[in-house]
Amino acid sequence: DQQVKQNSPSLSVQEGRISILNCDYTNSMFDYFLWYKKYPAEGPTFLISISSIKDKNEDGRFTVFLNKSAKHLSLHIVPSQPGDSAVYFCAALYENNNAGNMLTFGGGTRLMVKP
Amino acid sequence: DAGVTQSPTHLIKTRGQQVTLRCSPISGHKSVSWYQQVLGQGPQFIFQYYEKEERGRGNFPDRFSARQFPNYSSELNVNALLLGDSALYLCASSSRISRHAMETQYFGPGTRLLVL
């Protein structure tokens, strides 16, 4: 059972426009969410996070929104740049002393930003 | 500073064989986590080690085992390989194991394993 889902496998956006990547989760115990970016032949790199006590977190061009009642989060990239082209993963975790920091990842969304 | 390094980068094995993957964390990092990423899917948590002790285990069979050495490097062992074990195996290191440490958890480039 996939607890974190990214329903759009790919997204194509024009340079300068907004990119919106979506993520849904089912486990209501998740209370911390992270977005990672992955280029080919590299490991994922941390992008931005949000705690469940917030509904928005912003870092430069990147903003993450959290809707707890809908169990939905989204990553907005404004303006999109060609260098943003990568696979984006949503991940979630909750306080579980017996399971370490077990990140649960979504399946990823491939973003392509066209010049 | 060197990032997280993993070896080998690629390897090919046949069903039933055993494999050992290696990970060297960033200097000063005491936590190492292992993830399996099957093609087209997101990474799936396998193990986390901190200060040479297992701190977390994902939903993987006993064929998967790991250990962390005094220098904080780690090995992931997989016995009796199955075709479904073909994947990219990612190692990640962090200095601590708090949730905020996830923001400074760095992933290596991975080892791509193909089981024939």
Side-chain angles (χ1 to χ4, degrees), chain A residues 31-32 49 95 100-102, chain B residues 45 48 55 97 99-100 103:
Chain A
D31 60 1
Y32 202 75
S49 64
E95 197 77 50
N101 284 323
M102 188 180 78
Chain B
F45 176 81
Q48 182 182 48
R55 292 300 191 98
I97 56 172
R99 59 183 50 215
H100 292 289
E103 299 178 8

Side-chain angles (χ1 to χ4, degrees), chain B residues 51-86:
Chain B
E51 288 278 21
K52 293 156 280 181
E53 291 187 2
E54 182 183 302
R55 292 300 191 98
R57 174 185 286 253
N59 188 23
F60 279 80
D62 291 344
R63 299 185 296 108
F64 289 77
S65 63
R67 55 181 174 168
Q68 187 176 33
F69 298 99
N71 66 353
Y72 302 111
S73 67
S74 177
E75 285 183 352
L76 174 70
N77 295 284
V78 187
N79 293 323
L81 285 167
L82 303 174
L83 296 180
D85 295 331
S86 296

Side-chain angles (χ1 to χ4, degrees), chain A residues 4 25 30-34 90-94 102-106:
Chain A
V4 179
Y25 62 96
F30 287 139
D31 60 1
Y32 202 75
F33 304 89
L34 304 93
C90 165
L93 61 80
Y94 64 93
M102 188 180 78
L103 283 174
T104 302
F105 282 86

